[in-house]
Amino acid sequence: MITKKVIVRLDELGTIKQIQEMQTEEELFALSRKLRMYFELGLFKIPVSIRDAMNDTLDRIYRSL
């Protein structure tokens, strides 16, 4: 079996802007699941700045309830 290593580069600023525009918890969790799937496949590491943006957005969503 031949395997190839793929290098994937995550656009941090674009991802952070996308996270900040999310309005519902469901949207945020859907993106979180997608990022986690890619992380578990070993395609990239999730930077701290993206995790912080997700936490901040989730806090904003919960405060608005």
Side-chain angles (χ1 to χ4, degrees):
M1 177 179 203
I2 299 174
T3 58
K4 291 184 178 183
K5 194 168 216 171
V6 177
I7 298 173
V8 176
R9 200 166 192 114
L10 182 64
D11 176 23
E12 285 186 50
L13 292 178
T15 304
I16 290 172
K17 286 181 183 178
Q18 181 182 4
I19 290 169
Q20 291 172 343
E21 291 174 359
M22 293 185 175
Q23 300 297 321
T24 65
E25 183 180 8
E26 290 81 19
E27 291 176 328
L28 190 62
F29 285 149
L31 179 66
S32 175
R33 284 190 298 270
K34 185 190 308 183
L35 290 175
R36 183 175 301 277
M37 180 182 67
Y38 293 144
F39 172 75
E40 289 174 352
L41 289 173
L43 295 178
F44 59 76
K45 293 181 180 177
I46 301 172
V48 174
S49 58
I50 291 180
R51 292 179 189 195
D52 289 344
M54 293 179 85
N55 288 333
D56 292 344
T57 302
L58 191 60
D59 287 343
R60 179 181 47 81
I61 290 170
Y62 284 156
R63 279 189 304 234
S64 68
L65 295 177

